Short mmCIF file of all heavy atoms in Angstrom, two decimals:
data_model
loop_
_atom_site.label_atom_id
_atom_site.label_comp_id
_atom_site.label_asym_id
_atom_site.label_seq_id
_atom_site.Cartn_x
_atom_site.Cartn_y
_atom_site.Cartn_z
N MET X 1 0.78 -1.24 -0.01
CA MET X 1 -0.07 0.00 0.05
C MET X 1 0.86 1.18 -0.01
O MET X 1 1.83 1.50 0.83
CB MET X 1 -0.84 -0.12 1.20
CG MET X 1 -1.92 1.07 1.26
SD MET X 1 -3.02 1.28 0.00
CE MET X 1 -4.37 0.06 0.69
N VAL X 2 0.56 2.17 -0.88
CA VAL X 2 1.33 3.40 -0.93
C VAL X 2 0.58 4.49 -0.21
O VAL X 2 -0.67 4.51 -0.22
CB VAL X 2 1.38 3.87 -2.48
CG1 VAL X 2 2.17 5.14 -2.57
CG2 VAL X 2 2.23 2.89 -3.19
N LYS X 3 1.31 5.36 0.60
CA LYS X 3 0.67 6.43 1.23
C LYS X 3 1.03 7.73 0.72
O LYS X 3 2.15 7.95 0.23
CB LYS X 3 1.04 6.27 2.72
CG LYS X 3 0.38 5.24 3.40
CD LYS X 3 0.68 5.27 4.96
CE LYS X 3 -0.03 4.18 5.74
NZ LYS X 3 0.29 4.13 7.10
N CYS X 4 0.19 8.66 0.84
CA CYS X 4 0.55 10.12 0.38
C CYS X 4 1.66 10.53 1.11
O CYS X 4 1.60 10.48 2.55
CB CYS X 4 -0.65 10.90 0.56
SG CYS X 4 -0.44 12.71 0.22
N THR X 5 2.70 11.05 0.55
CA THR X 5 3.93 11.52 1.28
C THR X 5 3.51 12.66 2.21
O THR X 5 4.22 12.87 3.38
CB THR X 5 4.93 12.06 0.26
OG1 THR X 5 5.19 11.00 -0.56
CG2 THR X 5 6.23 12.50 1.00
N PHE X 6 2.58 13.42 1.89
CA PHE X 6 2.24 14.68 2.61
C PHE X 6 1.33 14.45 3.75
O PHE X 6 1.65 14.74 4.91
CB PHE X 6 1.69 15.79 1.70
CG PHE X 6 1.58 17.11 2.39
CD1 PHE X 6 2.68 17.86 2.85
CD2 PHE X 6 0.26 17.61 2.65
CE1 PHE X 6 2.51 19.11 3.41
CE2 PHE X 6 0.04 18.79 3.36
CZ PHE X 6 1.26 19.57 3.70
N CYS X 7 0.13 13.89 3.49
CA CYS X 7 -0.91 13.70 4.50
C CYS X 7 -0.97 12.36 5.14
O CYS X 7 -1.60 12.16 6.05
CB CYS X 7 -2.24 14.21 4.00
SG CYS X 7 -3.05 13.05 2.87
N GLY X 8 -0.42 11.39 4.45
CA GLY X 8 -0.47 10.01 4.99
C GLY X 8 -1.59 9.23 4.58
O GLY X 8 -1.83 8.05 5.03
N GLU X 9 -2.56 9.76 3.77
CA GLU X 9 -3.67 8.92 3.36
C GLU X 9 -3.24 7.81 2.43
O GLU X 9 -2.20 7.83 1.60
CB GLU X 9 -4.57 9.85 2.41
CG GLU X 9 -5.34 10.82 3.14
CD GLU X 9 -6.56 10.18 3.95
OE1 GLU X 9 -7.18 9.20 3.38
OE2 GLU X 9 -6.82 10.73 4.96
N ASN X 10 -3.93 6.63 2.68
CA ASN X 10 -3.66 5.58 1.84
C ASN X 10 -4.04 5.81 0.30
O ASN X 10 -5.16 6.37 0.12
CB ASN X 10 -4.41 4.25 2.18
CG ASN X 10 -3.68 3.75 3.60
OD1 ASN X 10 -2.48 3.88 3.70
ND2 ASN X 10 -4.59 3.15 4.41
N LEU X 11 -3.26 5.31 -0.64
CA LEU X 11 -3.63 5.57 -2.00
C LEU X 11 -3.91 4.17 -2.68
O LEU X 11 -3.20 3.26 -2.50
CB LEU X 11 -2.34 6.11 -2.85
CG LEU X 11 -2.03 7.56 -2.23
CD1 LEU X 11 -0.92 8.01 -3.18
CD2 LEU X 11 -3.20 8.53 -2.42
N GLU X 12 -5.16 4.14 -3.16
CA GLU X 12 -5.39 2.94 -3.93
C GLU X 12 -4.55 2.78 -5.17
O GLU X 12 -4.14 3.82 -5.75
CB GLU X 12 -6.91 3.03 -4.46
CG GLU X 12 -7.88 3.02 -3.24
CD GLU X 12 -7.89 1.74 -2.39
OE1 GLU X 12 -7.68 0.68 -3.03
OE2 GLU X 12 -8.24 1.68 -1.22
N LYS X 13 -4.28 1.65 -5.61
CA LYS X 13 -3.49 1.42 -6.85
C LYS X 13 -4.12 2.18 -7.94
O LYS X 13 -5.32 2.07 -8.26
CB LYS X 13 -3.41 -0.13 -7.18
CG LYS X 13 -2.07 -0.50 -7.67
CD LYS X 13 -2.05 -2.03 -7.88
CE LYS X 13 -0.60 -2.39 -8.44
NZ LYS X 13 -0.68 -3.81 -8.69
N GLY X 14 -3.27 2.95 -8.63
CA GLY X 14 -3.87 3.62 -9.84
C GLY X 14 -4.38 5.02 -9.54
O GLY X 14 -4.84 5.75 -10.42
N THR X 15 -4.45 5.40 -8.31
CA THR X 15 -4.93 6.76 -7.90
C THR X 15 -3.73 7.60 -7.48
O THR X 15 -2.65 7.18 -7.08
CB THR X 15 -6.05 6.62 -6.77
OG1 THR X 15 -5.32 6.20 -5.63
CG2 THR X 15 -7.12 5.82 -7.26
N GLY X 16 -4.01 8.93 -7.35
CA GLY X 16 -2.92 9.83 -6.88
C GLY X 16 -1.91 10.09 -7.79
O GLY X 16 -1.99 9.63 -9.00
N LYS X 17 -0.92 10.69 -7.45
CA LYS X 17 0.26 11.11 -8.34
C LYS X 17 1.62 10.65 -7.76
O LYS X 17 1.77 10.64 -6.56
CB LYS X 17 0.33 12.67 -8.39
CG LYS X 17 -0.67 13.33 -9.13
CD LYS X 17 -0.45 14.75 -9.30
CE LYS X 17 -1.39 15.49 -10.25
NZ LYS X 17 -0.98 16.89 -10.30
N MET X 18 2.41 10.30 -8.79
CA MET X 18 3.83 9.93 -8.32
C MET X 18 4.77 10.99 -8.82
O MET X 18 4.68 11.50 -9.90
CB MET X 18 4.12 8.61 -8.92
CG MET X 18 5.39 7.99 -8.33
SD MET X 18 5.86 6.41 -9.16
CE MET X 18 6.74 7.06 -10.48
N TYR X 19 5.73 11.44 -7.90
CA TYR X 19 6.73 12.38 -8.28
C TYR X 19 8.08 11.87 -7.90
O TYR X 19 8.20 11.45 -6.76
CB TYR X 19 6.25 13.73 -7.50
CG TYR X 19 7.27 14.85 -7.62
CD1 TYR X 19 7.14 15.74 -8.72
CD2 TYR X 19 8.31 15.02 -6.85
CE1 TYR X 19 7.90 16.65 -8.96
CE2 TYR X 19 9.32 16.02 -7.03
CZ TYR X 19 8.99 16.80 -8.18
OH TYR X 19 9.92 17.97 -8.42
N VAL X 20 8.89 12.03 -8.85
CA VAL X 20 10.32 11.55 -8.70
C VAL X 20 11.21 12.74 -8.45
O VAL X 20 11.27 13.70 -9.32
CB VAL X 20 10.85 10.64 -9.76
CG1 VAL X 20 12.30 10.18 -9.38
CG2 VAL X 20 9.88 9.51 -9.98
N GLN X 21 11.88 12.86 -7.31
CA GLN X 21 12.71 14.04 -7.07
C GLN X 21 14.08 13.88 -7.86
O GLN X 21 14.32 12.72 -8.39
CB GLN X 21 13.04 14.11 -5.56
CG GLN X 21 11.85 14.49 -4.75
CD GLN X 21 12.19 14.88 -3.32
OE1 GLN X 21 12.91 14.02 -2.73
NE2 GLN X 21 11.64 15.92 -2.66
N LYS X 22 14.90 14.97 -7.84
CA LYS X 22 16.22 14.88 -8.41
C LYS X 22 17.06 13.82 -7.90
O LYS X 22 17.95 13.29 -8.53
CB LYS X 22 16.78 16.32 -8.36
CG LYS X 22 16.16 17.20 -9.29
CD LYS X 22 16.72 18.65 -9.19
CE LYS X 22 15.91 19.59 -10.03
NZ LYS X 22 16.38 20.94 -9.71
N ASP X 23 16.85 13.63 -6.54
CA ASP X 23 17.78 12.68 -5.88
C ASP X 23 17.12 11.23 -6.02
O ASP X 23 17.55 10.32 -5.19
CB ASP X 23 18.01 12.96 -4.38
CG ASP X 23 16.56 12.96 -3.73
OD1 ASP X 23 15.57 12.76 -4.29
OD2 ASP X 23 16.56 13.33 -2.47
N ALA X 24 16.11 11.12 -6.99
CA ALA X 24 15.54 9.82 -7.23
C ALA X 24 14.62 9.22 -6.13
O ALA X 24 14.15 8.16 -6.21
CB ALA X 24 16.50 8.76 -7.50
N LYS X 25 14.38 10.05 -5.09
CA LYS X 25 13.47 9.74 -4.05
C LYS X 25 12.06 9.86 -4.60
O LYS X 25 11.74 10.83 -5.29
CB LYS X 25 13.57 10.59 -2.84
CG LYS X 25 12.77 10.19 -1.66
CD LYS X 25 12.95 11.06 -0.44
CE LYS X 25 12.02 10.88 0.63
NZ LYS X 25 12.12 11.81 1.66
N ILE X 26 11.20 8.88 -4.45
CA ILE X 26 9.81 8.92 -5.08
C ILE X 26 8.78 9.29 -3.95
O ILE X 26 8.81 8.83 -2.81
CB ILE X 26 9.48 7.48 -5.55
CG1 ILE X 26 10.46 7.08 -6.64
CG2 ILE X 26 8.00 7.49 -6.19
CD1 ILE X 26 10.15 5.75 -7.09
N LEU X 27 8.07 10.36 -4.39
CA LEU X 27 6.92 10.96 -3.46
C LEU X 27 5.65 10.54 -4.01
O LEU X 27 5.51 10.50 -5.36
CB LEU X 27 7.08 12.41 -3.44
CG LEU X 27 8.53 12.88 -2.89
CD1 LEU X 27 8.43 14.48 -2.93
CD2 LEU X 27 8.92 12.39 -1.55
N TYR X 28 4.65 10.39 -3.22
CA TYR X 28 3.30 10.05 -3.64
C TYR X 28 2.24 11.10 -3.08
O TYR X 28 2.47 11.43 -1.93
CB TYR X 28 2.85 8.61 -3.25
CG TYR X 28 3.64 7.52 -3.87
CD1 TYR X 28 4.69 6.95 -3.16
CD2 TYR X 28 3.38 7.00 -5.07
CE1 TYR X 28 5.50 5.89 -3.81
CE2 TYR X 28 4.04 6.06 -5.75
CZ TYR X 28 5.15 5.42 -4.93
OH TYR X 28 5.93 4.47 -5.52
N PHE X 29 1.41 11.50 -3.82
CA PHE X 29 0.43 12.49 -3.45
C PHE X 29 -0.91 12.00 -3.77
O PHE X 29 -1.33 11.61 -4.84
CB PHE X 29 0.70 13.73 -4.13
CG PHE X 29 2.06 14.33 -3.70
CD1 PHE X 29 2.99 14.32 -4.69
CD2 PHE X 29 2.35 14.81 -2.50
CE1 PHE X 29 4.29 14.81 -4.40
CE2 PHE X 29 3.55 15.25 -2.08
CZ PHE X 29 4.57 15.28 -3.17
N CYS X 30 -1.94 12.18 -2.78
CA CYS X 30 -3.37 11.76 -3.09
C CYS X 30 -4.08 13.01 -3.89
O CYS X 30 -5.01 12.65 -4.46
CB CYS X 30 -4.00 11.45 -1.69
SG CYS X 30 -4.24 13.07 -0.71
N SER X 31 -3.53 14.15 -3.80
CA SER X 31 -4.24 15.28 -4.45
C SER X 31 -3.19 16.38 -4.89
O SER X 31 -2.09 16.36 -4.28
CB SER X 31 -5.36 15.96 -3.55
OG SER X 31 -4.67 16.48 -2.41
N SER X 32 -3.58 17.21 -5.66
CA SER X 32 -2.79 18.28 -6.16
C SER X 32 -2.50 19.26 -4.92
O SER X 32 -1.61 20.00 -4.91
CB SER X 32 -3.33 19.01 -7.34
OG SER X 32 -4.65 19.61 -6.97
N LYS X 33 -3.46 19.32 -4.05
CA LYS X 33 -3.36 20.05 -2.81
C LYS X 33 -2.14 19.55 -1.98
O LYS X 33 -1.28 20.53 -1.53
CB LYS X 33 -4.63 19.89 -1.93
CG LYS X 33 -4.83 20.93 -0.90
CD LYS X 33 -6.13 20.75 -0.27
CE LYS X 33 -6.50 21.79 0.76
NZ LYS X 33 -7.71 21.47 1.43
N CYS X 34 -2.00 18.36 -1.83
CA CYS X 34 -0.81 17.83 -1.07
C CYS X 34 0.45 17.95 -1.93
O CYS X 34 1.36 18.37 -1.27
CB CYS X 34 -1.08 16.35 -0.82
SG CYS X 34 -2.34 15.97 0.37
N GLU X 35 0.35 17.82 -3.20
CA GLU X 35 1.52 17.99 -4.07
C GLU X 35 2.13 19.42 -3.87
O GLU X 35 3.22 19.71 -3.70
CB GLU X 35 1.23 17.72 -5.47
CG GLU X 35 2.34 17.75 -6.50
CD GLU X 35 1.93 17.54 -7.73
OE1 GLU X 35 0.83 17.41 -8.20
OE2 GLU X 35 2.87 17.40 -8.62
N LYS X 36 1.11 20.47 -3.96
CA LYS X 36 1.61 21.82 -3.83
C LYS X 36 2.13 22.12 -2.50
O LYS X 36 3.21 22.76 -2.42
CB LYS X 36 0.33 22.78 -4.15
CG LYS X 36 0.06 22.91 -5.53
CD LYS X 36 -1.16 23.94 -5.58
CE LYS X 36 -1.73 23.96 -6.89
NZ LYS X 36 -2.95 24.69 -7.03
N ASN X 37 1.56 21.69 -1.57
CA ASN X 37 2.12 21.99 -0.18
C ASN X 37 3.44 21.30 0.05
O ASN X 37 4.26 22.06 0.65
CB ASN X 37 1.18 21.39 0.86
CG ASN X 37 -0.02 22.32 1.23
OD1 ASN X 37 0.16 23.32 2.00
ND2 ASN X 37 -1.08 22.16 0.52
N GLN X 38 3.60 20.12 -0.38
CA GLN X 38 4.84 19.51 -0.25
C GLN X 38 5.97 20.12 -1.13
O GLN X 38 7.14 20.38 -0.65
CB GLN X 38 4.77 18.00 -0.58
CG GLN X 38 6.03 17.11 -0.31
CD GLN X 38 6.37 16.97 1.11
OE1 GLN X 38 5.52 16.84 1.94
NE2 GLN X 38 7.82 16.96 1.36
N LEU X 39 5.67 20.36 -2.37
CA LEU X 39 6.67 20.75 -3.38
C LEU X 39 6.99 22.20 -3.47
O LEU X 39 8.19 22.64 -3.44
CB LEU X 39 6.40 20.18 -4.67
CG LEU X 39 6.28 18.66 -4.83
CD1 LEU X 39 5.86 18.44 -6.23
CD2 LEU X 39 7.54 17.97 -4.47
N LYS X 40 5.94 23.00 -3.46
CA LYS X 40 6.07 24.39 -3.60
C LYS X 40 6.21 25.17 -2.28
O LYS X 40 6.98 26.20 -2.18
CB LYS X 40 4.89 24.94 -4.41
CG LYS X 40 4.95 24.35 -5.84
CD LYS X 40 3.89 24.95 -6.60
CE LYS X 40 3.84 24.37 -8.01
NZ LYS X 40 2.75 24.81 -8.89
N LEU X 41 5.59 24.84 -1.26
CA LEU X 41 5.59 25.52 -0.14
C LEU X 41 6.51 24.94 0.94
O LEU X 41 6.82 25.58 1.93
CB LEU X 41 4.12 25.58 0.52
CG LEU X 41 3.07 26.14 -0.47
CD1 LEU X 41 1.67 26.19 0.19
CD2 LEU X 41 3.39 27.57 -0.90
N GLY X 42 6.88 23.79 0.75
CA GLY X 42 7.69 23.15 1.69
C GLY X 42 7.26 22.89 2.99
O GLY X 42 7.95 22.79 3.99
N ARG X 43 6.01 22.95 3.13
CA ARG X 43 5.38 22.78 4.54
C ARG X 43 5.43 21.24 5.05
O ARG X 43 5.46 20.31 4.29
CB ARG X 43 3.90 23.09 4.56
CG ARG X 43 3.71 24.57 4.38
CD ARG X 43 2.15 24.81 4.26
NE ARG X 43 1.95 26.22 4.07
CZ ARG X 43 0.75 26.72 3.70
NH1 ARG X 43 -0.20 25.77 3.39
NH2 ARG X 43 0.55 28.03 3.55
N LYS X 44 5.51 21.24 6.36
CA LYS X 44 5.57 19.87 6.97
C LYS X 44 4.17 19.57 7.36
O LYS X 44 3.34 20.46 7.68
CB LYS X 44 6.49 19.89 8.15
CG LYS X 44 7.95 19.87 7.69
CD LYS X 44 8.86 19.91 8.92
CE LYS X 44 10.33 20.06 8.45
NZ LYS X 44 11.19 20.33 9.57
N PHE X 45 3.90 18.36 7.40
CA PHE X 45 2.52 17.90 7.71
C PHE X 45 1.86 18.56 8.98
O PHE X 45 0.88 19.10 8.97
CB PHE X 45 2.55 16.40 7.90
CG PHE X 45 1.21 15.76 8.14
CD1 PHE X 45 0.09 15.87 7.43
CD2 PHE X 45 1.03 15.06 9.40
CE1 PHE X 45 -1.12 15.32 7.79
CE2 PHE X 45 -0.13 14.59 9.79
CZ PHE X 45 -1.22 14.68 8.92
N LEU X 46 2.66 18.45 10.10
CA LEU X 46 2.09 18.94 11.27
C LEU X 46 1.77 20.49 11.31
O LEU X 46 1.07 20.97 12.12
CB LEU X 46 2.85 18.51 12.41
CG LEU X 46 2.82 17.00 12.81
CD1 LEU X 46 3.82 16.69 13.93
CD2 LEU X 46 1.53 16.65 13.24
N GLU X 47 2.48 21.16 10.46
CA GLU X 47 2.33 22.65 10.40
C GLU X 47 1.26 23.15 9.55
O GLU X 47 0.98 24.37 9.40
CB GLU X 47 3.60 23.26 9.88
CG GLU X 47 4.96 23.09 10.81
CD GLU X 47 6.14 23.26 10.16
OE1 GLU X 47 6.18 23.60 8.89
OE2 GLU X 47 7.25 23.29 10.81
N THR X 48 0.48 22.14 8.95
CA THR X 48 -0.51 22.49 7.98
C THR X 48 -1.80 22.58 8.53
O THR X 48 -2.28 21.69 9.24
CB THR X 48 -0.48 21.45 6.76
OG1 THR X 48 0.80 21.44 6.24
CG2 THR X 48 -1.37 21.95 5.67
N ARG X 49 -2.44 23.72 8.44
CA ARG X 49 -3.72 24.03 9.21
C ARG X 49 -4.84 23.11 8.78
O ARG X 49 -5.72 22.85 9.54
CB ARG X 49 -4.07 25.53 8.98
CG ARG X 49 -3.14 26.43 9.78
CD ARG X 49 -3.66 27.83 9.68
NE ARG X 49 -2.52 28.71 10.49
CZ ARG X 49 -2.67 30.05 10.52
NH1 ARG X 49 -3.69 30.67 9.93
NH2 ARG X 49 -1.70 30.71 11.12
N TRP X 50 -4.92 22.84 7.52
CA TRP X 50 -6.11 22.02 7.08
C TRP X 50 -6.02 20.53 7.36
O TRP X 50 -6.86 19.85 7.09
CB TRP X 50 -6.40 22.27 5.61
CG TRP X 50 -5.29 22.15 4.61
CD1 TRP X 50 -4.48 23.24 4.05
CD2 TRP X 50 -4.68 20.93 4.13
NE1 TRP X 50 -3.56 22.65 3.25
CE2 TRP X 50 -3.66 21.39 3.28
CE3 TRP X 50 -5.06 19.58 4.30
CZ2 TRP X 50 -2.87 20.33 2.57
CZ3 TRP X 50 -4.27 18.64 3.64
CH2 TRP X 50 -3.29 19.15 2.78
N SER X 51 -4.82 20.07 7.91
CA SER X 51 -4.73 18.66 8.10
C SER X 51 -5.64 18.24 9.39
O SER X 51 -5.65 19.00 10.28
CB SER X 51 -3.24 18.20 8.33
OG SER X 51 -2.88 18.66 9.61
N LYS X 52 -6.20 17.05 9.31
CA LYS X 52 -6.95 16.64 10.40
C LYS X 52 -6.07 16.51 11.65
O LYS X 52 -6.64 16.79 12.68
CB LYS X 52 -7.55 15.21 10.06
CG LYS X 52 -8.65 15.28 8.92
CD LYS X 52 -9.09 13.98 8.71
CE LYS X 52 -9.95 14.04 7.32
NZ LYS X 52 -10.23 12.75 6.73
N ARG X 53 -5.03 15.95 11.58
CA ARG X 53 -4.19 15.84 12.79
C ARG X 53 -3.78 17.05 13.52
O ARG X 53 -3.91 17.20 14.69
CB ARG X 53 -2.87 15.11 12.37
CG ARG X 53 -2.15 14.55 13.59
CD ARG X 53 -0.90 13.69 13.22
NE ARG X 53 -1.27 12.33 12.54
CZ ARG X 53 -0.32 11.57 12.08
NH1 ARG X 53 0.90 11.85 12.08
NH2 ARG X 53 -0.72 10.43 11.35
N PHE X 54 -3.61 18.06 12.71
CA PHE X 54 -3.34 19.36 13.27
C PHE X 54 -4.46 19.91 14.04
O PHE X 54 -4.21 20.32 15.24
CB PHE X 54 -2.89 20.36 12.16
CG PHE X 54 -2.50 21.78 12.60
CD1 PHE X 54 -1.13 21.96 12.98
CD2 PHE X 54 -3.57 22.71 12.88
CE1 PHE X 54 -0.82 23.29 13.36
CE2 PHE X 54 -3.21 23.96 13.27
CZ PHE X 54 -1.82 24.20 13.51
N LYS X 55 -5.69 19.89 13.56
CA LYS X 55 -6.87 20.32 14.24
C LYS X 55 -7.00 19.50 15.52
O LYS X 55 -7.30 20.11 16.59
CB LYS X 55 -7.98 20.13 13.33
CG LYS X 55 -8.21 21.18 12.19
CD LYS X 55 -9.31 20.93 11.33
CE LYS X 55 -9.27 21.80 10.13
NZ LYS X 55 -10.13 21.40 9.12
N LYS X 56 -6.81 18.26 15.49
CA LYS X 56 -7.02 17.41 16.63
C LYS X 56 -6.12 17.81 17.71
O LYS X 56 -6.50 18.02 18.80
CB LYS X 56 -6.76 15.95 16.22
CG LYS X 56 -7.39 14.98 17.31
CD LYS X 56 -7.01 13.58 16.85
CE LYS X 56 -7.34 12.50 18.02
NZ LYS X 56 -6.84 11.28 17.82
N GLU X 57 -4.76 18.03 17.34
CA GLU X 57 -3.84 18.37 18.41
C GLU X 57 -4.03 19.66 18.90
O GLU X 57 -3.93 19.82 20.17
CB GLU X 57 -2.45 18.41 17.68
CG GLU X 57 -2.02 16.80 17.49
CD GLU X 57 -0.58 16.70 16.91
OE1 GLU X 57 0.02 17.67 16.80
OE2 GLU X 57 -0.12 15.56 16.68
N LYS X 58 -4.65 20.67 18.09
CA LYS X 58 -4.80 21.94 18.70
C LYS X 58 -6.01 21.84 19.68
O LYS X 58 -6.00 22.54 20.73
CB LYS X 58 -5.37 22.91 17.59
CG LYS X 58 -4.29 23.46 16.66
CD LYS X 58 -3.22 24.17 17.55
CE LYS X 58 -3.20 25.62 17.30
NZ LYS X 58 -1.99 26.27 18.01
N ARG X 59 -6.94 21.18 19.48
CA ARG X 59 -8.11 20.97 20.34
C ARG X 59 -7.73 20.35 21.75
O ARG X 59 -8.26 20.71 22.76
CB ARG X 59 -9.09 20.05 19.70
CG ARG X 59 -10.52 20.70 19.59
CD ARG X 59 -11.51 19.75 18.90
NE ARG X 59 -11.57 19.88 17.48
CZ ARG X 59 -11.51 18.84 16.64
NH1 ARG X 59 -11.52 17.66 17.01
NH2 ARG X 59 -11.55 19.07 15.34
N GLU X 60 -6.63 19.50 21.59
CA GLU X 60 -6.36 18.84 22.92
C GLU X 60 -5.45 19.81 23.86
O GLU X 60 -5.13 19.41 24.89
CB GLU X 60 -5.63 17.60 22.61
CG GLU X 60 -6.50 16.52 22.03
CD GLU X 60 -5.70 15.32 21.49
OE1 GLU X 60 -4.59 15.35 21.38
OE2 GLU X 60 -6.44 14.42 21.12
N GLU X 61 -4.95 20.90 23.32
CA GLU X 61 -4.05 21.74 24.09
C GLU X 61 -4.78 22.30 25.20
O GLU X 61 -5.93 22.68 25.21
CB GLU X 61 -3.56 22.94 23.21
CG GLU X 61 -2.33 22.44 22.38
CD GLU X 61 -1.83 23.49 21.41
OE1 GLU X 61 -2.40 24.69 21.46
OE2 GLU X 61 -1.00 23.16 20.55
ZN1 LIG W 1 -2.43 13.75 0.58
#
């Protein structure tokens, strides 16, 4: 099972996007939203406001 590099969602075979970096590391994305955040903005998962995990952790503070 492949997981989205950014948000950790499981990707069904044939869905999502595969991205190969210059260092040959392969990244997988479930959506263009995740792709943009990872590649262009360089954000980390826990710093991203729209992620479910971030919201959950904020609520528990
Ligand atoms: Zn994702």
Side-chain angles (χ1 to χ4, degrees):
M1 181 66 80
V2 175
K3 287 185 176 181
C4 176
T5 301
F6 188 70
C7 73
E9 286 285 326
N10 288 327
L11 297 179
E12 297 292 332
K13 218 175 182 184
T15 66
K17 284 186 174 182
M18 193 183 85
Y19 179 86
V20 184
Q21 289 186 320
K22 286 175 185 172
D23 62 2
K25 188 182 175 189
I26 300 173
L27 306 177
Y28 296 96
F29 299 106
C30 66
S31 66
S32 58
K33 196 175 184 181
C34 288
E35 185 182 7
K36 275 183 194 170
N37 275 279
Q38 179 74 35
L39 299 180
K40 295 185 181 176
L41 305 178
R43 286 176 181 164
K44 288 177 185 170
F45 178 62
L46 290 175
E47 295 169 350
T48 307
R49 288 183 184 181
W50 50 260
S51 77
K52 287 175 191 170
R53 191 177 294 175
F54 181 89
K55 283 178 189 165
K56 194 180 171 202
E57 286 182 1
K58 280 305 248 188
R59 237 179 270 131
E60 287 168 354
E61 274 175 11

